[in-house]
Amino acid sequence: MVFAHDTETALLTAAALVNTAATAGDTLTTSAELDAFVRRWEFTGSRTRDRAELQAVRDLRAALRRLWTCQDDEEVVAGVNALLREAHALPQLVRHDHWGWHLHATSPDQPLATRMAVEAAMALVDVVRSDELDRLRVCDADDCSDVLVDLSKNRSRRYCDAGCGNRVNVAAYRARRAGAAV
Ligand SMILES: [Zn+2]
Ligand SMILES: [Zn+2]
């Protein structure tokens, strides 16, 4: 494990959220899609299930992508600190459902987008402190801008979860065969 379990989960969740605004199309356009995302990534806490909630979560994606792709540590730190400050984050160890002890820094009655933002920000705190920002990447495929977090031991992940690695390998294989045929 590169980071603590809750940090790794939060990073994978944040990447998945950013990637709902994918090159291939937006998959977070309705309350039902938001419900599915919340279920899939096991967010607990209150929901309003209205347009404003959906819009706030949608807006968060661009902010997270900016932090994810930012090349400047100081800028990431400023962004993370701002997210934590604005939400009045207060780290507390909690245990619920099937999760062991982990950090929450918001209360369950805060808006969903705030809780999502703070969870991502708390994970980025760990990433920055461990000097591991280079594990936050954008997919290497030319036609894909999905983000990914490389949690591999040898820092070898280059492609997102949407199958780009396979696609690129197949294209390279075809190109080699085409080259060999000439
Ligand atoms: Zn929790
Ligand atoms: Zn990709």
Side-chain angles (χ1 to χ4, degrees):
M1 202 160 21
V2 179
F3 302 106
H5 69 100
D6 52 344
T7 294
E8 296 199 346
T9 302
L11 292 172
L12 293 169
T13 306
L17 179 62
V18 169
N19 292 342
T20 61
T23 325
D26 196 323
T27 58
L28 201 64
T29 57
T30 64
S31 267
E33 283 174 336
L34 180 57
D35 287 348
F37 186 89
V38 162
R39 255 195 321 275
R40 162 75 182 80
W41 293 99
E42 303 188 53
F43 280 94
T44 54
S46 65
R47 296 280 313 278
T48 55
R49 292 200 164 73
D50 53 9
R51 264 336 275 184
E53 180 185 64
L54 176 63
Q55 195 53 51
V57 174
R58 288 172 54 78
D59 292 345
L60 175 60
R61 302 180 298 183
L64 291 182
R65 173 179 279 281
R66 266 196 305 281
L67 290 175
W68 206 274
T69 55
C70 182
Q71 303 298 319
D72 178 6
D73 292 20
E74 304 273 346
E75 229 173 280
V76 176
V77 166
V80 167
N81 283 344
L83 282 176
L84 295 174
R85 200 168 48 236
E86 281 156 22
H88 305 288
L90 175 68
Q92 297 280 290
L93 279 163
V94 296
R95 187 159 66 168
H96 61 83
D97 300 297
H98 61 93
W99 303 101
W101 292 113
H102 61 283
L103 277 174
H104 277 196
T106 47
S107 60
D109 55 342
Q110 281 180 279
L112 177 64
T114 303
R115 285 181 280 122
M116 287 175 153
V118 168
E119 186 184 278
M122 291 296 290
L124 290 172
V125 164
D126 273 4
V127 176
V128 170
R129 280 160 64 220
S130 318
D131 196 17
E132 295 281 11
L133 277 172
D134 62 345
R135 288 183 181 273
L136 308 183
R137 306 212 176 108
V138 176
C139 180
D140 253 6
D142 289 339
D143 53 353
C144 178
S145 54
D146 280 9
V147 298
L148 62 113
V149 50
D150 183 0
L151 297 174
S152 68
K153 228 184 205 143
N154 56 357
R155 302 164 183 273
S156 57
R157 256 197 92 190
R158 292 290 174 271
Y159 299 103
C160 73
D161 285 329
C164 288
N166 263 337
R167 208 161 44 75
V168 169
N169 286 337
V170 168
Y173 173 73
R174 291 213 178 106
R176 273 197 307 275
R177 277 190 42 161
V182 175

